[in-house]
């Protein structure tokens, strides 16, 4: 079990320097992926930039940025694809950059993804360092970079922006920065429907803080948590820097700050969902009708199970079915290992909700690896194992996987279906 008292957050002045090796490694992996994509796409007569900025969801986001909401496509089978399905924060930022820079809307989306992916990598480093130390934190960032779907981190999609907001929100929770946690959770809720996972993590941690501080008063009426170290696995604490900049023993937050976080966290997602309901005239559940027009929803994984079962109707597709089952099994196993390693509860809640929403969505089965991209706490057990290996062996593993990931990403984006 990792204790905050023995894992002080680094002073702000040194935080970027501590993260620099991880960020440089991350940038190198992403640069390799973009280079391989450019070469592969050029050989096929395609534009890598177009693949990254002007296909699939990227087009929907740029249309929202340029024209606002109200665009929809009616398909021959009666389905209605409305751009109300896409949350507004990324289009807002694209519009802002377009207004104040020479960038096109698509170029703005690409720039946001590049910058947000670095912010996400830094946030992942900060969380992992707090829980498992610096070496494991570097490994966690590199593992996130070399995921087979890592190329999405450089696309004009919302995954990088969401992961950055989620990672820093979780870091704020774990270090007791409650107002920041609530604000970041609200922004995450304006980015993707899975912002619910960040809200859930903040709420669970906030409620745990209330219960802990109210249940153990000492003789002077102060909370025991005000002078006793609290486990990361049980909940967050607030850390007050000393004048010299070194971390000091944590203190319990006042009740006002967690309450503010609980109030702020759901405002983004709830505000957008209620606005969609008002715009469509269908009330609070109007957003679910919008998603239904895309044949998307939450069915507990029944449709996904039928999709996987259908793969076993012929021998070639049965291999894909086996691969999917192994992939899902790996995800579940990593989560179980995280529980056994006593990961902080906010991380477990966040990763659990992201995973459940991704695996139990009723359509877009080929996109499930991308939907799991923000679930970075699942990588922490692998990061810990990689950190224990020799540096040369770890570098060889990461380098080999990075090359494979770059090739797969180029192959994937040059295919016919969306990621």
């Amino acid at each position: 079990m990792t204790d905050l008292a023995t894992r002080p957050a680094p002073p702000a002045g040194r935080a970027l320097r501590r993260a620099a090796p991880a960020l440089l490694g991350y940038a190198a992996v992403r640069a390799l992926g973009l280079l391989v994509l450019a070469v592969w796409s050029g050989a096929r007569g395609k534009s890598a930039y177009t693949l990254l900025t002007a296909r699939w969801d990227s087009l929907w986001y740029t249309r929202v940025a340029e024209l606002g909401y109200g665009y929809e496509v009616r398909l021959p089978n009666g389905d209605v694809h409305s751009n109300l399905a896409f949350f507004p924060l990324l289009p807002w930022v694209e519009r802002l950059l377009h207004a104040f820079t020479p960038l096109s809307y698509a170029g703005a989306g690409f720039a946001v993804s590049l910058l947000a992916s670095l912010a996400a990598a830094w946030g992942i480093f900060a969380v992992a360092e707090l829980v498992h130390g610096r070496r494991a934190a570097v490994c966690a960032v590199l593992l996130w970079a070399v995921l087979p779907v890592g190329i999405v981190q450089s696309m004009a999609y919302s995954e990088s922006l969401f992961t950055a907001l989620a990672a820093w929100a979780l870091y704020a929770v774990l270090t007791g920065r409650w107002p920041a946690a609530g604000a970041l959770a609200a922004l995450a809720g304006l980015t993707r429907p899975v912002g619910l996972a960040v809200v859930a993590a903040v709420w669970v941690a906030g409620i745990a803080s209330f219960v802990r501080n109210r249940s153990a008063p000492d003789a002077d009426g102060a909370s025991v948590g005000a002078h006793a170290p609290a486990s990361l696995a049980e909940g967050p604490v607030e850390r007050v820097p000393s004048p010299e900049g070194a971390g000091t023993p944590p203190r319990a937050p006042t009740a006002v700050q967690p309450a503010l976080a609980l109030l702020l966290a759901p405002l983004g997602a709830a505000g957008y969902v209620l606005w969609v309901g008002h715009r469509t005239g269908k009330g609070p559940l109007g957003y679910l009708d919008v998603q239904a027009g895309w044949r998307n929803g939450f069915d507990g994984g029944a449709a996904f199970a039928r999709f996987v079962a259908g793969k076993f109707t012929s021998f070639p597709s049965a291999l894909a079915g086996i691969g999917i089952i192994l992939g899902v099994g790996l995800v579940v196993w990593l989560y179980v290992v995280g529980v056994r390693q006593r990961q902080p509860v906010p991380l477990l809640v966040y990763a659990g909700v992201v995973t459940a929403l991704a695996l139990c969505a009723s359509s877009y089965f080929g996109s499930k690896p991308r939907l799991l991209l923000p679930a970075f706490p699942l990588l922490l057990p692998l990061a810990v194992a990689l950190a224990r290996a020799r540096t040369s062996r770890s570098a060889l593993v990461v380098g080999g996987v990075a090359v494979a990931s770059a090739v797969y990403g180029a192959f994937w984006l040059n295919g016919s279906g969306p990621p």
Side-chain angles (χ1 to χ4, degrees), residues 87-317:
F87 276 51
L89 187 60
L90 177 58
W92 285 349
V93 178
E94 289 178 347
R95 181 179 296 180
L96 187 66
L97 281 181
H98 174 73
F100 291 98
T101 70
L103 293 172
S104 65
Y105 291 107
F110 184 55
V112 170
S113 289
L114 291 182
L115 294 175
S117 67
L118 286 171
W122 190 2
I124 292 170
F125 174 88
V127 170
E129 183 186 33
L130 196 65
V131 178
H132 292 299
R134 188 184 186 193
R135 185 176 174 87
V138 173
C139 292
V141 171
L142 294 178
L143 287 173
W144 192 66
V146 302
L147 288 173
V149 294
I151 191 64
V152 174
Q153 298 162 17
S154 301
M155 297 179 69
Y157 274 35
S158 60
E159 272 77 9
S160 290
L161 180 60
F162 174 78
T163 305
L165 294 168
W168 285 108
L170 291 169
Y171 180 78
V173 165
L174 295 178
T175 55
R177 294 167 170 87
W178 291 101
L184 289 167
L187 290 173
L190 283 171
T191 309
R192 295 184 62 80
V194 76
L196 173 65
V198 189
V199 176
V202 172
W203 270 68
V204 167
I207 292 171
S209 176
F210 283 126
V211 172
R212 185 172 59 250
N213 292 334
R214 289 174 63 88
S215 63
D218 62 16
D220 296 324
S223 167
V224 171
H227 51 73
S231 166
L232 270 170
E234 296 170 352
V237 293
E238 182 180 357
R239 184 170 302 282
V240 181
S242 69
E244 295 77 23
T248 60
R251 73 182 182 191
T254 64
V256 174
Q257 290 188 348
L260 179 60
L262 267 61
L263 177 65
L264 290 175
L267 292 183
Y272 181 68
V273 168
L274 291 175
W275 178 80
V276 170
H278 174 74
R279 184 181 176 100
T280 60
K282 297 182 178 179
L285 300 181
Y287 184 76
L288 297 180
D289 288 337
V290 171
Q291 287 283 15
W294 289 78
R295 292 188 179 271
N296 200 15
F298 186 89
D299 65 355
F304 185 41
R306 290 194 297 270
F307 170 78
V308 175
K311 293 292 183 181
F312 290 91
T313 58
S314 64
F315 173 71
S317 64

Side-chain angles (χ1 to χ4, degrees), residues 313-416:
T313 58
S314 64
F315 173 71
S317 64
L319 296 178
I322 293 173
I324 294 172
I325 292 173
L326 291 176
V328 172
L330 175 62
V331 168
V332 174
W333 177 76
L334 288 173
Y335 187 82
V336 171
V337 173
V339 173
R340 290 177 175 175
Q341 290 181 347
R342 305 293 297 276
Q343 278 188 21
V345 170
L347 297 189
L348 294 175
V349 170
Y350 168 76
V353 175
V354 172
T355 302
L357 291 177
L359 296 182
C360 297
S362 59
S363 64
Y364 297 98
F365 307 116
S367 296
K368 290 192 182 295
R370 170 174 66 87
L371 299 178
L372 286 167
L373 190 62
F376 68 88
L378 295 175
L379 299 174
L380 294 184
L382 296 178
V384 170
L386 193 62
R388 291 171 178 165
R390 294 181 180 179
T391 301
S392 57
R393 182 173 299 176
S394 299
L396 184 62
V397 170
V398 171
V401 177
V403 172
S405 175
V407 172
Y408 179 74
F411 168 79
W412 197 29
L413 286 196
N414 277 275
S416 58

